[in-house]
Amino acid sequence: LNYFQLPGLEQIYLEDSYVLGIEESEKHVKFLLELVLTEKHAAYTAPKPGEQYCYRNAFLHFKNVSKANWIHKEKTPSTDAAGEIDYGNIDTMTFVDGVYHLSGDWGEVEITSSKPKIDFID
């Protein structure tokens, strides 16, 4: 399944969301995102002047992780014209046979966990 077919992730757009950081512990993997919300999301607001999307800071939070298999990690951030740092986007996120597979400029990981959820920060 693609991420937008998973409950709770239907009204976000990861491909244009920015990865601002990745936090890991023994039982959690959290992607800190500048997350794009689609117009159907309950927290959607009109984009700010000069922005294409409605952005909200949030974690894509994988809890109860039993395995996080990093195929590769890229720790070099990009800096945009405004001087803001990010690690690119989540280009792909799928769920197959109980494993979430994510990839982007920041790396590639396979996560076995409970269903991921979005935790808004602001």
Side-chain angles (χ1 to χ4, degrees):
L1 293 172
N2 284 310
Y3 74 88
F4 50 81
Q5 296 170 297
L6 299 170
L9 304 183
E10 309 95 328
Q11 294 148 356
I12 62 170
Y13 187 54
L14 290 177
E15 292 84 351
D16 278 340
S17 299
Y18 294 98
V19 177
L20 304 178
I22 301 171
E23 298 178 16
E24 293 180 82
S25 67
E26 189 175 313
K27 293 287 183 184
H28 299 266
V29 177
K30 293 165 66 170
F31 287 82
L32 174 57
L33 302 173
E34 189 174 36
L35 181 65
V36 172
L37 305 181
T38 68
E39 291 182 16
K40 293 182 180 180
H41 196 285
Y44 178 86
T45 58
K48 294 177 183 171
E51 292 185 350
Q52 182 177 359
Y53 298 111
C54 168
Y55 291 99
R56 288 280 306 271
N57 287 334
F59 284 107
L60 174 59
H61 191 176
F62 295 85
K63 296 179 181 179
N64 304 311
V65 171
S66 60
K67 185 175 183 184
N69 176 36
W70 284 92
I71 296 158
H72 75 277
K73 281 185 185 180
E74 179 58 54
K75 298 192 184 234
T76 306
S78 299
T79 306
D80 68 13
E84 295 179 357
I85 293 174
D86 70 73
Y87 294 88
N89 313 103
I90 295 178
D91 297 325
T92 64
M93 179 179 162
T94 57
F95 180 67
V96 178
D97 296 330
V99 178
Y100 299 95
H101 183 267
L102 295 87
S103 67
D105 292 340
W106 46 267
E108 185 175 1
V109 64
E110 296 172 335
I111 300 171
T112 305
S113 70
S114 56
K115 159 182 101 161
K117 63 179 277 213
I118 301 296
D119 294 327
F120 289 105
I121 297 169
D122 52 3

